[in-house]
Amino acid sequence: MSAAPAYSEDKGGSAGPGEPEYGHDPASGGIFSSDYKRHDDLKEMLDTNKDSLKLEAMKRIVAMIARGKNASDLFPAVVKNVACKNIEVKKLVYVYLVRYAEEQQDLALLSISTFQRGLKDPNQLIRASALRVLSSIRVPIIVPIMMLAIKEAASDMSPYVRKTAAHAIPKLYSLDSDQKDQLIEVIEKLLADKTTLVAGSVVMAFEEVCPERIDLIHKNYRKLCNLLIDVEEWGQVVIISMLTRYARTQFLSPTQNESLLEENPEKAFYGSEEDEAKGPGSEAAASSALPARKPYVMDPDHRLLLRNTKPLLQSRSAAVVMAVAQLYFHLAPKAEVGVIAKALVRLLRSHSEVQYVVLQNVATMSIKRRGMFEPYLKSFYIRSTDPTQIKILKLEVLTNLANETNIPTVLREFQTYIRSMDKDFVAATIQAIGRCATNIGRVRDTCLNGLVQLLSNRDELVVAESVVVIKKLLQMQPAQHGEIIKHLAKLTDNIQVPMARASILWLIGEYCEHVPRIAPDVLRKMAKSFTAEEDIVKLQVINLAAKLYLTNSKQTKLLTQYVLSLAKYDQNYDIRDRARFTRQLIVPSEQGGALSRHAKKLFLAPKPAPVLESSFKDRDHFQLGSLSHLLNAKATGYQELPDWPEEAPDPSVRNVEEEDLSLIETHVGLLGEYTKVPEWTKCSNREKRKEKEKPFYSDSEGESGPTESADSDPESESESDSKSSSESGSGESSSESDNKDQDEDGEKGRSSESEHSEEEGKKRKMKKRKKVPEGQEGGSSSDEGSDSSSSSSESEMTSETEEEQVEPASWRKKTPPSSKSAPAAKEISLLDLEDFTPPSVQPVSPPMAVSTSLAADLEGLTLTDSPLVPSLLSPVLGVGRQELLHRVAGEGLAVDYTFSRQPFSGDPHMVSVHIHFSNSSDTPIKGLHVGAPKLPAGISIQEFPEIESLAPGESATAVMGINFCDSTQAANFQLCTQTRQFYVSIQPPVGELMAPVFMSENEFKKEQGKLMGMNEITEKLTLPDTCRSDHVVVQKVTATANLGRVPCGTSDEYRFAGRTLTSGSLVLLTLDAQPAGAAQLTVNSEKMVIGTMLVKDVVQALTQ
Amino acid sequence: MLDNGFPLATESNILKELIKPPTILRTVVNTITGSTNVGDQLPTGQLSVVPWRRTGVKYTNNEAYFDVIEEIDAIIDKSGSTITAEIQGVIDACVKLTGMPDLTLSFMNPRLLDDVSFHPCVRFKRWESERILSFIPPDGNFRLLSYHVSAQNLVAIPVYVKHNISFRDSSSLGRFEITVGPKQTMGKTIEGVTVSSQMPRGVLNMSLTPSQGTHTFDPVTKMLSWDVGKINPQKLPSLKGTMSLQAGASKPDENPTINLQFKIQQLAISGLKVNRLDMYGEKYKPFKGIKYMTKAGKFQVRT
C-alpha cells in the first residue's frame, strides 16, 4: 500500500509533455512489467477497500484513456466501483464507463442499476449527473431505460435536472433515431418550461432532433423571446439562431415593400391621411383605389424579437453579439440594421480568430448595407501587425465601403499598403484599387495612373498584379488609353510573370488598332522568344498573331505563320490545337472557308468589360455567422435560412393561454419596454400627425376592440359580424384599421398587412392597459399618475418600477370581464371576451369563483345598505366635478363628470358617473351620445341615453355606468354629437372603485385577520393640526374613498370597510391616530394594487 | 465543462468550485495529505440564480478594487499626424466581499462611453435609464465592463516618435534614428516604454546606441526591440546608428513601422472618472479603491 504515492509520482511525471513513450503506460514501466500481468496492479488497487487507492488507480486508468491506450480489459474491475461512495472515484468511473460501455455492452449493463438508483437520489446534482452518464453510455439495449429516465427527468422539480434531460435528448437520438417521436414529445414538454436554465438546452435539443418541427415553437415563441436576456450565453446563441429561422418562416419581410414605397412615399403618406379624415364613404373608395399596395405592418411578435435581442448586442460574449447581429441583418427593417455595426466593430478588438469570423460577416454585410459601416471606416484600417488573412478581409471591407466621398482617404490608405512587405497583401491591395476604380468612375483615372506608376515597381509581383488590374480597367474605356497600352507594350521586355505577360499581349491584341505601330513589333519579339514562354503566354501570342493577321495582314502575315508553325510542334496539345484551329480560321483555304469569312467577327468581337466584384457577394444566402457562411459551402447539419413567406402564416398560433401571458408580461416588465408605449387615442388629424413621430412599434396602439375583431381571422369573424355590421359594415371597419396602421407607419415607408390577429388585439389590450395611466396625466393627477408618468418619460424602465408593472397583470388575470349580464353592454363585452381568447375565463381559480358568488350574495346587502351608509357617513360626492371636455376643445360643449357614489341601477358592478353637459355655444348641440368606446379588457360602459338636443346656454345631466373592473385604468370613449366626435376618457380615483359595506367591529376584526401579510399595507403619517378631529378625519377618508364607517370602541381608531365593485373583494381601512398627531394607516385588501393606491390617496388626503 | 459538445458550465466560479485553482499552499497541503484539487462538494453554484457568484462567501477584509484601464489604438502617419485613434477601455474588478452585496458604480461622465459590453451581472436596464452600473459582483477577479470611446472624439496622443530611417540605393549602409518624446500627458510620466519594429529582410545587422535603456536586434527574425523605460522630458531617449544591408540587393521599398508600448499610471486618457461606489444589501463597510491606467494598445507609427 505504501507504493501508492510512488505511483502517483510516476503518473504525475508521465503526464509531462516531453516524456518518452515507454514511460507512458504505468503498467509497462512500473513494477509489473510483463505483459500477461498487465493492469494487475490496477485491478488489485480497485479491489481494495481504500478509496485513496481506488482513486489513484482510476486516475491512472483515465490518464491511459486520455493517452489513447486501451484499458478495456479493466472493465469488470472498474464497473464494480460504480457504486462507490466516494464521489471522486465515482466521477472517474463514470468517465471510464462513457468511454468503454459501447464496447462491452453486457458488462456495462451491470452498472445501470446504480444509475437508476442515482436517478432517484434526493440531491438534484446527483440525479442530474446520473442521467448525464446514463445517457452518455451508448448501449442500444438500455434505450428504453434512457427514454424512461429522460421522460422522468423532464418533469423533475429541479430545473437543473430538466436541463440535463434536455442535454440527454440529442444523445439518445444519435444512439437510436427511432425514438424521435417520443423525444419530440419530451422536447415539446421541455419547450414549455419557463426557467432560463432549461431554455437554452432544450432549444439545442430541438435543433439537433427536429429542427423542421417549427410548429413546436409557436406557443413558446413569446416566452423564449422574453426569457432570452436571462439565458446563459451559450443558450442565447442557440436560441437566437433558431428564432432567426423561425421568424423567417412566420413573418413577412420588412423590406418587401420598401422599394415600392420609396417610389412615391408622398402619395402613400398623403393618401392614408386623407382616408382617416373623411367619412366612411371616402375610406372605402380610397381602399379600393389602392388595392395593389398591400400595406405592411410588422407583426408585434416580430417586433418583440427585435426588441428583446437588441440589449444582447452589449453582451461580453462575441458569439452572442454575432448571433444578434445576424438576426438583425436577416430580420430587421433596413432602417434598424445599423445598430449592429457598433457592436461588430467592437468585436474587432478581440483575438484574431474572432476578428476573422467577424470580418467575414462584416464583409458580407457591407456589400448589402454599405451605409451601416461607413462611420466606422477607420476601424478597418490595417496595421502592419495584423495577420495576412485579417489584412485581406479588412481590405475587402474597405473596398466595399469606398464611395465617392471617402475614396480619397481610402486610396491614400491603400497607397501606404502597397509599400508593405507582405506581398500577398500588396497584390490584394492592387486588386482592391482596381475594384474601387471600377465602382467609382470619378477616380478611375487616378487609380489607373497610380497603377501605371506601380508598373515601375521593383517587385515583379506588384507589377504583374498591376498589369492584370490595368488590363481589366482598360477594357472599360480603351480608346483614351493608347498611351498606357504603349507603356505596357514596352514592359514586355522586363516583366517575367506569365500572367502579366499574357495580359499585356491580350491587351495589345485586343486594341491593336490603337497601337498600330507597336503591335507588330511586339509580335515580332514574342515570336522570337516563343519557345521559351509559358503556356499561358504562348496561347496569347497565338491570339495576338491571329488578331494582327486579321487587321494588318500585310505586315504580320509571315510572322503569324511563323508563330503558328512553332505552335504546331509545341509540347502542349492545347497550344497545338489552338494553332491548328486558328490557322483554319484565319488563313483562307481553297475549300469554302465559310468560317474564315467570319474570322474577324470571331476574334475581334467587342467584349464586355469584366465586372470586378467581391467574393463575398451573394454569400448572404447562407445564414450569417454560420460555419457554412464562413466556408461559403454548405456544411453538414446546416439549416437553410428559408425565404420570407409571401403571405404571413396565421399569427394567432403564437397565442398562449392567459396564464402564460401574464407570465410573459412580467418579463416584459423586466425588459421594461411596454410601458413607454405612448398614449394613442383616436383623435384629430393634427394630433395624429404628431403621433407619427412616435416609435414605430406603437403601431397597434389605440385600435378599438370592435375594429380589430372585425378584421381578425375567420374563427372570430362570425362572432364579430353582427358587431361590425352594427358599426358601419365589416369592410369599412377593416379598411379603417388598415389606414390607421398605414398612417402610423407611413413615415417609415411601410404598409400594413390587412390581417390583424386576435392575439394582436390582445397585445394591444395589454399595451393599452399599460399605457392607460398616462392618460390621466392631463386630467386628474392621482398618485399613481406620477408613477406611470415617470416610467413613461424614461424610455427604459428601472427595476423598481417593474414591480408595479407586474402587478396589474396578475390583477387583471383574476378579474375576468363579468359584465355579460348588462344587456346594452353585451356587444362590447362579447368582443372583449373574444379579444381575450376563450382561455381568459379559465384562470379564474376556484376560490375566486367562490368569492365572486359570495360577493353576488352580499351585493343585495350592499345595495340596500349603500344608500343608507353614504348618506349617514360620507358626503354624497366623493370627488368634485372633473372636467371631461373643455369648453374650448369641445367647441362650446363643456362636459364635466362626478362620481355620484350611488349604486348604478343597471349593473351593481358599475360605478355610476354623472355627466354634466352644458352648451356655451350659440347653436344647439344635437344628438349627444357615446360612440366607439375603446376599452381595455374587462372594462365596460353602460351608455347614457342619447340627449336629443341641447339648446345654447342650457345644461343637462346624464348618468352612465362604467365597470372599471377594479382597476384605475381610464375608460376611453367618444362623445359624439351630430357633427363632431370628441375623444374623452374617464379615470376613476381608486376610492371610487368600491362601495361601502356595513359591518360590526367583530366582523371587521375577523375579516381583517384573514387579510394579513401580503394583503396588508401599512403607512405611517402625521396628521396636521387641522385634521385631528373625528369629523374631519372621517370626512376626509370618506371623501377620498367610498367606504362605510365601522363603529369602533376606541376613540382614536377609525375603521372603514368597503367592497370593490367588480370582484366584491373586501377593502378594510384602519386609521390609528396617536394624540401627538402621528398616525398609522392600515389597509387590508385582497387587491394589493388597490390597497397600495388607496393608502397613497388617503395619506395624501389626510396630510394636505 | 461540456456535455456532448454543448457548453454546460463556463462560468469560472462554478469551475473553480469543481476544481480549485492550484496555489502553492494547496500544493503543499495536497502532497502531505494526499488530497487533490478536485472539490469534494457538489457544485451548487450551477443551481443559483446568480450563477456567477458563489454563495456563502466570507472575508475578514472586505474590499473592492476597480481598475480602469484604457488602451489607445492608433495609427500615426509618417508625418506624425494621427490617421486613426480610438480608446478601448475596460474596468477590471477584484471584489472580495462577504455575502451577497449589491453594488452600484456611477461615473462623472458616463456619456463618454460610446459602446459598452457588460459582464452578465450588470443590470442592463439600469444602465440604459440612469447610466449607473448596478450589479451583484462575482467573487474575485472579473471584467465588469469594456467600453469604447469612439474615433469621433479627439484622442489625446500622449507620445510622439521622431524617426529618420533611410536606405540608400548605392551603399550597403542605412541610417536609423528614432526619438521618443511626451505629448499631451496631463503632467504624468510615461513609463514602460518599449519600441519594436520589424525591419525589412534586406537588413543584415544594426549597430545602434541608445541614449537610455537597452536594445536588441535579432538578425534572423529582423526584429528590433528597444526597452526604453521612463521618458524624461528633459532628456529625450533616442536610438541612433546604422544598418548594414545585404550587399547588391536593391533597397527595400518600405520603411518599417514602429510599434510602441507604454503605460501611464493614474490617468484615464479619455477623461472617464468614477464618481462613487455604493454597496447595498450588506451591513459592513467595505474598503474601496479605484485605479486608473492608460496603456498603448495597438499603437503604430508608420515611417
Side-chain angles (χ1 to χ4, degrees):
Chain A
M1 296 308 134
S2 61
Y7 289 162
S8 120
E9 290 310 314
D10 191 356
K11 189 220 93 198
S14 65
E19 202 78 355
E21 174 63 22
Y22 57 78
H24 273 194
D25 187 352
S28 66
I31 300 159
F32 306 94
S33 54
S34 44
D35 244 15
Y36 58 93
K37 275 187 173 178
R38 271 183 71 169
H39 307 324
D40 273 5
D41 57 328
L42 290 170
K43 279 183 187 156
E44 212 171 277
M45 287 161 75
L46 287 167
D47 288 341
T48 57
N49 295 326
K50 282 203 174 171
D51 279 352
S52 60
L53 276 180
K54 282 183 181 175
L55 186 61
E56 198 46 55
M58 280 317 298
K59 277 188 180 170
R60 281 172 51 190
I61 293 169
V62 172
M64 278 163 67
I65 297 173
R67 249 182 259 120
K69 300 270 180 200
N70 187 4
S72 57
D73 51 337
L74 286 164
F75 201 90
V78 174
V79 168
K80 262 189 296 189
N81 285 302
V82 78
C84 180
K85 289 277 180 295
N86 186 314
I87 254 179
E88 213 171 323
V89 174
K90 215 172 191 170
K91 270 187 206 160
L92 294 174
V93 173
Y94 285 177
V95 172
Y96 183 90
L97 262 176
V98 170
R99 170 70 182 80
Y100 284 113
E102 203 169 6
E103 291 174 21
Q104 311 222 358
Q105 312 217 342
D106 298 338
L107 283 168
L109 292 177
L110 295 174
S111 61
I112 302 301
S113 63
T114 326
F115 297 124
Q116 284 179 304
R117 222 175 307 135
L119 286 169
K120 301 269 184 307
D121 198 283
N123 187 325
Q124 48 179 341
L125 288 163
I126 303 226
R127 284 204 301 277
S129 61
L131 178 63
R132 187 171 303 134
V133 180
L134 180 67
S135 57
S136 302
I137 295 175
R138 293 179 56 85
V139 179
I141 305 170
I142 62 160
V143 164
I145 301 178
M146 275 162 73
M147 194 65 231
L148 206 70
I150 290 176
K151 276 184 180 167
E152 243 170 68
S155 41
D156 198 284
M157 290 231 301
S158 151
Y160 185 63
V161 178
R162 295 203 296 273
K163 182 189 174 78
T164 318
H167 280 286
I169 290 169
K171 291 191 237 173
L172 179 54
Y173 179 65
S174 73
L175 182 62
D176 181 4
S177 50
D178 293 343
Q179 305 291 320
K180 186 170 178 179
D181 293 339
Q182 289 196 58
L183 286 175
I184 290 177
E185 274 170 40
V186 182
I187 289 175
E188 195 172 359
K189 183 174 180 184
L190 285 171
L191 274 173
D193 206 295
K194 292 189 186 75
T195 46
T196 51
L197 210 54
V198 185
S201 305
V202 69
V203 172
M204 186 266 303
F206 171 84
E207 291 280 82
E208 291 265 311
V209 178
C210 52
E212 72 285 352
R213 289 290 305 275
I214 213 90
D215 57 302
L216 294 181
I217 303 301
H218 292 323
K219 292 273 177 222
N220 302 298
Y221 172 80
R222 292 181 197 153
K223 182 195 70 190
L224 283 174
C225 286
N226 288 315
L227 285 183
L228 196 56
I229 197 157
D230 297 320
V231 176
E232 88 317 359
E233 285 145 350
W234 301 106
Q236 284 173 345
V237 176
V238 180
I239 296 176
I240 291 172
S241 81
M242 188 275 290
L243 288 179
T244 310
R245 216 151 38 78
Y246 178 85
R248 268 295 184 99
T249 61
Q250 299 300 319
F251 306 129
L252 290 175
S253 166
T255 47
Q256 63 178 5
N257 286 8
E258 256 163 28
S259 53
L260 189 69
L261 278 169
E262 270 160 15
E263 281 164 24
N264 55 355
E266 204 100 312
K267 196 186 168 212
F269 184 73
Y270 189 56
S272 60
E273 177 89 356
E274 212 169 36
D275 294 352
E276 263 309 277
K278 288 180 189 166
S282 75
E283 261 174 46
S287 63
S288 64
L290 299 163
R293 205 188 74 231
K294 192 121 194 269
Y296 172 79
V297 144
M298 186 181 271
D299 191 300
D301 288 328
H302 190 175
R303 170 57 55 198
L304 177 76
L305 177 63
L306 292 179
R307 182 158 13 107
N308 285 7
T309 46
K310 198 175 171 188
L312 294 178
L313 283 174
Q314 239 93 50
S315 172
R316 66 171 172 174
S317 155
V320 175
V321 176
M322 193 60 237
V324 179
Q326 65 86 15
L327 181 134
Y328 260 76
F329 181 75
H330 288 300
L331 300 182
K334 217 172 173 180
E336 291 166 56
V337 183
V339 296
I340 62 175
K342 202 188 265 183
L344 285 176
V345 169
R346 164 160 48 84
L347 292 188
L348 290 181
R349 264 286 286 184
S350 49
H351 313 285
S352 62
E353 293 82 0
V354 175
Q355 268 188 48
Y356 181 70
V357 176
V358 172
L359 280 169
Q360 289 249 352
N361 287 293
V362 169
T364 306
M365 291 182 194
S366 58
I367 290 173
K368 263 211 150 172
R369 309 221 197 276
R370 179 202 286 169
M372 192 163 101
F373 289 101
E374 257 177 35
Y376 305 99
L377 184 76
K378 287 189 170 179
S379 304
F380 297 102
Y381 279 8
I382 293 154
R383 298 185 152 76
S384 63
T385 41
D386 288 332
T388 307
Q389 309 95 300
I390 302 288
K391 284 181 183 165
I392 288 173
L393 281 171
K394 280 188 174 174
L395 203 56
E396 173 73 36
V397 175
L398 285 175
T399 317
N400 291 341
L401 293 183
N403 61 13
E404 292 272 346
T405 45
N406 60 24
I407 189 72
T409 38
V410 172
L411 280 183
R412 209 173 309 133
E413 201 46 32
F414 282 176
Q415 269 170 18
T416 55
Y417 299 161
I418 284 167
R419 293 188 295 128
S420 164
M421 277 178 268
D422 184 342
K423 291 303 163 203
D424 291 339
F425 169 53
V426 174
T429 310
I430 295 169
Q431 292 281 3
I433 294 176
R435 269 180 54 204
C436 288
T438 44
N439 296 342
I440 302 158
R442 194 163 65 87
V443 293
R444 193 167 298 152
D445 289 348
T446 327
C447 287
L448 209 50
N449 286 335
L451 289 171
V452 170
Q453 275 169 30
L454 281 179
L455 292 177
S456 52
N457 194 294
R458 231 170 302 125
D459 193 278
E460 204 166 67
L461 259 169
V462 175
V463 179
E465 201 67 40
S466 315
V467 170
V468 175
V469 174
I470 288 173
K471 179 197 108 182
K472 289 178 182 166
L473 288 180
L474 285 187
Q475 251 181 295
M476 294 179 180
Q477 34 185 188
Q480 308 152 22
H481 297 298
E483 277 307 304
I484 293 174
I485 297 173
K486 271 180 208 157
H487 185 81
L488 283 172
K490 278 179 210 152
L491 282 170
T492 42
D493 296 341
N494 304 323
I495 296 176
Q496 294 308 319
V497 178
M499 189 61 205
R501 285 177 80 89
S503 295
I504 297 176
L505 291 177
W506 184 89
L507 262 181
I508 295 170
E510 192 66 24
Y511 305 114
C512 47
E513 68 268 30
H514 297 299
V515 280
R517 296 235 185 112
I518 292 171
D521 199 41
V522 172
L523 181 64
R524 184 181 57 81
K525 277 186 192 164
M526 295 316 294
K528 222 197 256 173
S529 61
F530 186 81
T531 44
E533 297 291 347
E534 286 278 333
D535 292 347
I536 184 175
V537 186
K538 284 177 181 171
L539 288 175
Q540 288 308 328
V541 176
I542 297 172
N543 226 339
L544 173 66
K547 284 173 184 167
L548 284 178
Y549 182 84
L550 290 173
T551 51
N552 187 4
S553 60
K554 224 191 276 169
Q555 269 187 316
T556 56
K557 191 173 180 186
L558 285 171
L559 267 174
T560 309
Q561 273 169 353
Y562 175 64
V563 167
L564 288 175
S565 314
L566 279 177
K568 195 175 172 186
Y569 299 107
D570 199 89
Q571 280 189 320
N572 188 305
Y573 50 77
D574 269 349
I575 295 166
R576 295 199 300 271
D577 281 356
R578 178 75 65 90
R580 220 167 288 140
F581 166 73
T582 314
R583 186 189 290 273
Q584 289 306 317
L585 270 178
I586 56 170
V587 183
S589 57
E590 294 82 47
Q591 306 105 337
L595 275 173
S596 56
R597 258 182 283 135
H598 299 292
K600 211 161 186 173
K601 273 187 197 161
L602 284 170
F603 278 99
L604 293 168
K607 298 171 185 72
V611 184
L612 295 177
E613 59 186 20
S614 164
S615 58
F616 285 87
K617 202 176 175 235
D618 294 332
R619 268 221 205 172
D620 60 333
H621 65 270
F622 289 114
Q623 185 166 3
L624 262 74
S626 66
L627 180 64
S628 302
H629 173 264
L630 195 71
L631 301 173
N632 200 15
K634 202 167 175 260
T636 40
Y638 172 71
Q639 295 288 327
E640 289 276 356
L641 195 64
D643 266 334
W644 295 101
E646 290 284 312
E647 287 284 316
D650 181 14
S652 64
V653 289
R654 283 182 295 278
N655 281 358
V656 258
E657 301 195 349
E658 179 71 349
E659 209 170 14
D660 299 25
L661 242 173
S662 72
L663 172 112
I664 284 165
E665 218 170 351
T666 64
H667 283 279
V668 168
L670 226 148
L671 278 159
E673 300 239 357
Y674 268 155
T675 43
K676 74 168 182 178
V677 166
E679 160 89 323
W680 197 99
T681 40
K682 237 174 140 194
C683 41
S684 69
N685 276 340
R686 188 175 50 83
E687 274 168 313
K688 218 174 290 148
R689 206 164 290 142
K690 211 166 60 191
E691 196 51 45
K692 284 189 197 90
E693 288 147 26
K694 295 272 164 75
F696 169 63
Y697 43 85
S698 62
D699 53 352
S700 44
E701 230 43 45
E703 300 266 316
S704 65
T707 346
E708 279 151 30
S709 51
D711 54 13
S712 66
D713 34 13
E715 305 104 85
S716 62
E717 214 140 75
S718 56
E719 292 163 87
S720 56
D721 265 354
S722 60
K723 167 73 206 108
S724 46
S725 58
S726 78
E727 284 265 304
S728 49
S730 62
E732 183 264 313
S733 66
S734 78
S735 76
E736 182 190 34
S737 87
D738 279 355
N739 293 332
K740 234 179 292 165
D741 286 340
Q742 269 164 250
D743 198 15
E744 284 148 17
D745 306 332
E747 200 171 42
K748 297 245 165 183
R750 227 154 276 118
S751 40
S752 73
E753 62 186 294
S754 62
E755 281 194 359
H756 289 293
S757 62
E758 298 176 69
E759 131 282 335
E760 245 178 302
K762 212 157 71 180
K763 265 234 136 100
R764 273 167 220 170
K765 295 273 158 184
M766 281 164 52
K767 287 185 190 170
K768 270 192 78 148
R769 291 186 71 89
K770 297 281 182 192
K771 77 158 202 236
V772 156
E774 276 182 75
Q776 73 187 6
E777 274 173 83
S780 67
S781 61
S782 75
D783 289 355
E784 202 241 346
S786 63
D787 270 353
S788 60
S789 67
S790 72
S791 66
S792 66
S793 65
E794 214 62 82
S795 65
E796 236 66 46
M797 214 177 42
T798 60
S799 52
E800 290 99 290
T801 45
E802 129 201 342
E803 285 160 36
E804 287 166 36
Q805 300 305 323
V806 173
E807 278 166 341
S810 57
W811 165 26
R812 181 179 49 134
K813 195 177 81 187
K814 287 181 200 154
T815 57
S818 55
S819 53
K820 258 180 272 179
S821 56
K826 189 166 183 181
E827 227 169 54
I828 300 152
S829 59
L830 216 159
L831 282 162
D832 281 346
L833 273 176
E834 190 182 282
D835 285 344
F836 247 90
T837 62
S840 64
V841 191
Q842 281 176 1
V844 180
S845 51
M848 256 328 282
V850 170
S851 71
T852 43
S853 68
L854 188 92
D857 285 350
L858 288 168
E859 252 142 32
L861 195 93
T862 41
L863 262 179
T864 49
D865 278 352
S866 47
L868 183 82
V869 175
S871 62
L872 283 177
L873 294 167
S874 64
V876 176
L877 292 184
V879 184
R881 279 196 180 202
Q882 308 226 8
E883 186 170 81
L884 197 59
L885 187 65
H886 190 262
R887 183 161 50 84
V888 177
E891 293 173 2
L893 178 70
V895 186
D896 291 342
Y897 67 96
T898 49
F899 291 96
S900 66
R901 293 200 171 176
Q902 305 290 343
F904 188 68
S905 51
D907 183 341
H909 295 316
M910 288 195 167
V911 179
S912 76
V913 184
H914 282 214
I915 305 201
H916 313 274
F917 303 93
S918 60
N919 185 356
S920 53
S921 68
D922 39 9
T923 48
I925 294 168
K926 284 184 181 153
L928 261 174
H929 67 277
V930 172
K934 292 187 297 134
L935 302 168
I939 293 188
S940 54
I941 288 185
Q942 168 77 65
E943 296 155 19
F944 55 84
E946 185 172 323
I947 297 171
E948 294 282 326
S949 174
L950 198 62
E954 209 173 284
S955 317
T957 303
V959 183
M960 67 188 287
I962 304 174
N963 181 353
F964 285 105
C965 209
D966 290 356
S967 75
T968 51
Q969 295 186 73
N972 298 318
F973 54 90
Q974 281 180 333
L975 207 56
C976 306
T977 67
Q978 228 164 25
T979 50
R980 288 293 312 268
Q981 299 171 350
F982 305 105
Y983 294 88
V984 294
S985 79
I986 293 183
Q987 167 109 36
V990 66
E992 303 301 329
L993 297 174
M994 50 198 75
V997 178
F998 190 77
M999 54 167 74
S1000 70
E1001 190 174 1
N1002 281 341
E1003 272 178 307
F1004 186 91
K1005 281 186 173 156
K1006 205 172 105 197
E1007 291 293 343
Q1008 197 175 26
K1010 288 184 198 162
L1011 294 168
M1012 300 300 277
M1014 293 252 291
N1015 296 323
E1016 184 171 273
I1017 297 129
T1018 320
E1019 184 87 0
K1020 286 208 166 67
L1021 64 151
T1022 320
L1023 294 173
D1025 294 335
T1026 52
C1027 190
R1028 296 261 168 93
S1029 74
D1030 276 14
H1031 178 70
V1032 177
V1033 168
V1034 172
Q1035 202 218 351
K1036 287 209 166 172
V1037 172
T1038 48
T1040 314
N1042 192 7
L1043 295 172
R1045 179 149 189 211
V1046 174
C1048 181
T1050 49
S1051 63
D1052 45 6
E1053 201 169 273
Y1054 308 95
R1055 293 193 178 131
F1056 304 89
R1059 278 185 192 278
T1060 59
L1061 278 168
T1062 308
S1063 65
S1065 320
L1066 270 179
V1067 181
L1068 307 176
L1069 189 143
T1070 318
L1071 184 72
D1072 191 1
Q1074 255 90 59
Q1080 182 171 332
L1081 179 71
T1082 310
V1083 170
N1084 300 72
S1085 174
E1086 209 173 298
K1087 303 270 176 194
M1088 282 181 283
V1089 183
I1090 294 214
T1092 329
M1093 284 157 67
L1094 187 62
V1095 166
K1096 268 190 197 165
D1097 282 6
V1098 172
V1099 167
Q1100 203 188 4
L1102 287 174
T1103 49
Q1104 257 170 16
Chain B
M1 202 162 64
L2 302 175
D3 183 9
N4 199 29
F6 190 77
L8 187 66
T10 46
E11 195 60 55
S12 66
N13 264 297
I14 295 171
L15 297 178
K16 275 180 196 165
E17 218 175 350
L18 285 168
I19 299 173
K20 296 186 185 85
T23 59
I24 294 169
L25 180 69
R26 205 170 279 147
T27 322
V28 173
V29 173
N30 286 349
T31 26
I32 295 166
T33 60
S35 65
T36 60
N37 283 340
V38 178
D40 42 5
Q41 285 164 343
L42 288 168
T44 47
Q46 296 180 50
L47 310 170
S48 157
V49 251
V50 271
W52 56 84
R53 189 170 178 89
R54 290 187 290 140
T55 46
V57 187
K58 270 211 177 94
Y59 290 101
T60 41
N61 294 325
N62 287 301
E63 40 195 21
Y65 297 108
F66 293 87
D67 294 357
V68 180
I69 302 167
E70 294 191 337
E71 295 193 354
I72 305 174
D73 286 358
I75 301 178
I76 307 291
D77 197 357
K78 199 171 188 168
S79 60
S81 60
T82 312
I83 291 181
T84 162
E86 47 194 28
I87 298 172
Q88 305 279 349
V90 293
I91 300 184
D92 282 336
C94 176
V95 177
K96 294 183 172 173
L97 297 173
T98 310
M100 273 282 174
D102 197 335
L103 302 180
T104 53
L105 186 74
S106 60
F107 297 102
M108 307 272 257
N109 38 11
R111 300 282 159 204
L112 269 180
L113 308 182
D114 181 38
D115 181 36
V116 211
S117 82
F118 303 107
H119 190 274
C121 68
V122 177
R123 296 186 183 101
F124 184 68
K125 289 294 146 197
R126 192 85 192 271
W127 170 257
E128 283 282 277
S129 56
E130 300 169 56
R131 300 271 150 184
I132 283 177
L133 292 173
S134 154
F135 55 99
I136 294 175
D139 189 39
N141 293 310
F142 65 99
R143 175 155 297 176
L144 177 65
L145 166 93
S146 47
Y147 61 89
H148 179 103
V149 178
S150 72
Q152 273 83 356
N153 293 12
L154 229 56
V155 178
I157 303 291
V159 210
Y160 72 89
V161 177
K162 260 201 273 182
H163 51 83
N164 182 6
I165 303 170
S166 60
F167 304 100
R168 255 164 290 156
D169 239 340
S170 50
S171 86
S172 60
L173 279 182
R175 268 217 322 214
F176 186 94
E177 186 178 342
I178 41 178
T179 312
V180 186
K183 179 183 163 189
Q184 297 175 296
T185 59
M186 332 269 172
K188 303 280 196 293
T189 43
I190 302 171
E191 304 168 9
V193 182
T194 53
V195 177
S196 62
S197 179
Q198 173 76 48
M199 302 309 283
R201 249 174 309 207
V203 177
L204 285 183
N205 212 338
M206 306 180 81
S207 64
L208 304 167
T209 40
S211 70
Q212 80 178 65
T214 54
H215 82 282
T216 51
F217 176 70
D218 185 341
V220 181
T221 59
K222 316 288 182 198
M223 182 60 85
L224 169 75
S225 65
W226 174 31
D227 191 345
V228 185
K230 258 184 208 167
I231 293 182
N232 179 3
Q234 270 72 50
K235 189 173 165 292
L236 297 177
S238 65
L239 183 67
K240 282 183 203 168
T242 54
M243 298 175 282
S244 54
L245 306 173
Q246 205 157 17
S250 52
K251 80 167 197 180
D253 344 283
E254 194 200 32
N255 282 338
T257 50
I258 299 168
N259 293 305
L260 215 61
Q261 288 298 321
F262 57 82
K263 257 191 270 184
I264 307 170
Q265 304 278 4
Q266 282 139 34
L267 172 74
I269 199 84
S270 69
L272 185 79
K273 275 242 150 60
V274 171
N275 186 18
R276 55 183 295 138
L277 176 73
D278 297 306
M279 189 182 72
Y280 305 96
E282 296 288 334
K283 296 268 181 278
Y284 54 83
K285 260 195 132 29
F287 184 81
K288 299 177 272 194
I290 300 270
K291 199 171 85 179
Y292 297 95
M293 183 158 44
T294 298
K295 282 203 244 179
K298 295 173 181 165
F299 198 101
Q300 222 163 62
V301 183
R302 291 178 179 161
T303 61

